[in-house]
Amino acid sequence: MIPVLLTKIKTREGLVLEGIVVEPRRKDKNKTAIIWLHGLSSKFYSGQTLIRELSSVCRRAGVGYFKFNNRGHDVADWENAGMIGAGFEKFTDCVLDIRAMILFAKKLGYKDIILAGHSTGANKALYYVYKTKDRSVKKIVLLGPICDLAAMAKEIGRKELEKRVKIAQKIKNRNPKALVPLEFGLYTASRYLSLHIPGSSEDVFPYHNPRGSWKELKSVKIPVAVIIGQRDQHLDRPAKNLIKIFREKAQATKNFSGIIIKGADHGFRKKEKEVSTEIIKFIKNGL
């Protein structure tokens, strides 16, 4: 049995975030910890097979494992601080969540932080590094870094998405916190637009736009790993083509790893062991 600590942390404004910590048998000399950032509407206990695999590998390697809810957990949460969740969160507030997670890890004695973000968590991990230049973050892992705009355009068609964006914009002009039509999903107008308009703060992987700035990834100097499932259902192009784009845009780092997990979907189901192995290899390389 892996010893798992259930715990809570508070952000600077007092928001409570639940999560888990798995400490290693013996901390490595650098006291390294990985902080996992879950995806849109997910939660800290989602993907339990991957939690078990990765935390086990980390524990043997002397690396701490942390995974917490962020304010985008679940679709909506009316009991915790009013209305939060994927449909209501303000993307840029992810800085507050991640900072609280890092501070908690530091209190436990960890000095070198690895941010690993899955799906929307990847957007948040990259945005945090770009905005804060936090020197305690030594490496960043982007798992399933999908552009929501491109994924939705693939799912419903670009013309339909453009139509929905126009409707959401009209709603936002009247009331940013008002909900979009339910067939769009449970989102406020502001949140829907954050996910689906070019150039938003959340649009850090703009491969939908040949002229996208990629300013966030271009600025990152620390080692970067991009891990994509070969059969990710949200891809609008082959995984190898997307890895090539990320490699070209990660201009400032001298250490880029582009990894495709053969046969894996967006959640890496049934490929948890392979993903965990690749992550720990990346973490331990050079530390």
Side-chain angles (χ1 to χ4, degrees):
M1 291 289 292
I2 302 171
V4 177
L5 171 67
L6 289 170
T7 188
K8 296 179 181 180
I9 60 175
K10 280 188 178 182
T11 63
R12 187 169 59 188
E13 84 276 31
L15 181 64
V16 176
L17 302 174
E18 299 87 0
I20 60 171
V21 177
V22 178
E23 296 228 62
R25 295 170 182 169
R26 184 174 59 187
K27 293 178 184 177
D28 67 11
K29 63 181 180 180
N30 294 310
K31 297 183 178 179
T32 302
I34 182 171
I35 295 177
W36 185 278
L37 306 175
H38 66 70
L40 187 72
S41 77
S42 187
K43 52 192 75 73
F44 80 87
Y45 52 86
S46 297
Q48 293 190 25
T49 302
L50 182 53
I51 291 173
R52 184 167 57 250
E53 285 286 347
L54 183 54
S55 63
S56 296
V57 170
C58 286
R59 188 165 186 263
R60 292 193 297 270
V63 175
Y65 174 88
F66 293 71
K67 186 179 181 183
F68 288 93
N69 280 341
N70 59 55
R71 68 189 69 209
H73 75 86
D74 295 282
V75 176
D77 181 354
W78 281 271
E79 295 181 0
N80 191 358
M83 289 190 294
I84 59 173
F88 300 89
E89 72 173 326
K90 182 180 179 182
F91 175 78
T92 53
D93 284 345
C94 69
V95 171
L96 301 173
D97 297 342
I98 298 171
R99 181 177 288 126
M101 297 173 196
I102 292 175
L103 288 175
F104 181 74
K106 285 183 173 181
K107 287 180 180 179
L108 293 183
Y110 296 94
K111 296 189 297 183
D112 293 347
I113 305 298
I114 314 297
L115 283 185
H118 174 242
S119 195
T120 297
N123 300 58
K124 292 178 177 180
L126 180 58
Y127 183 79
Y128 178 84
V129 171
Y130 169 71
K131 292 297 289 186
T132 68
K133 308 296 188 294
D134 188 335
R135 293 185 179 182
S136 63
V137 179
K138 303 301 182 183
K139 296 185 178 184
I140 185 171
V141 185
L142 307 174
L143 299 105
I146 300 300
C147 169
D148 289 282
L149 190 162
M152 186 57 67
K154 174 191 174 185
E155 181 179 340
I156 65 174
R158 188 165 294 277
K159 288 186 178 180
E160 176 63 22
L161 178 58
E162 291 173 353
K163 174 184 174 183
R164 293 186 179 189
V165 165
K166 289 180 180 178
I167 293 171
Q169 188 63 65
K170 290 180 180 179
I171 295 172
K172 182 184 177 183
N173 291 342
R174 296 194 300 268
N175 181 1
K177 295 182 179 180
L179 297 177
V180 296
L182 193 56
E183 61 265 31
F184 296 10
L186 185 57
Y187 299 105
T188 64
S190 292
R191 184 72 176 115
Y192 190 84
L193 292 171
S194 176
L195 287 163
H196 298 118
I197 61 171
S200 71
S201 297
E202 200 159 352
D203 187 25
V204 296
F205 308 130
Y207 54 83
H208 61 86
N209 179 10
R211 298 181 181 179
S213 72
W214 291 86
K215 63 181 184 297
E216 296 85 3
L217 186 57
K218 286 180 178 179
S219 72
V220 174
K221 297 180 180 180
I222 59 175
V224 176
V226 174
I227 303 178
I228 299 174
Q230 181 192 29
R231 296 183 178 178
D232 189 319
Q233 59 271 36
H234 301 302
L235 289 174
D236 67 346
R237 66 199 69 201
K240 64 179 181 179
N241 293 3
L242 191 53
I243 288 288
K244 181 180 178 181
I245 295 173
F246 274 87
R247 190 182 302 274
E248 291 173 349
K249 302 304 181 181
Q251 299 170 356
T253 181
K254 295 180 180 179
N255 186 341
F256 177 89
S257 297
I259 301 162
I260 297 173
I261 304 298
K262 187 176 181 180
D265 63 8
H266 186 64
F268 301 101
R269 284 177 285 271
K270 298 184 179 181
K271 300 294 180 179
E272 292 88 355
K273 187 173 182 178
E274 291 93 325
V275 172
S276 299
T277 298
E278 293 294 347
I279 290 173
I280 204 65
K281 281 166 55 178
F282 175 70
I283 290 175
K284 299 300 289 185
N285 182 25
L287 288 180

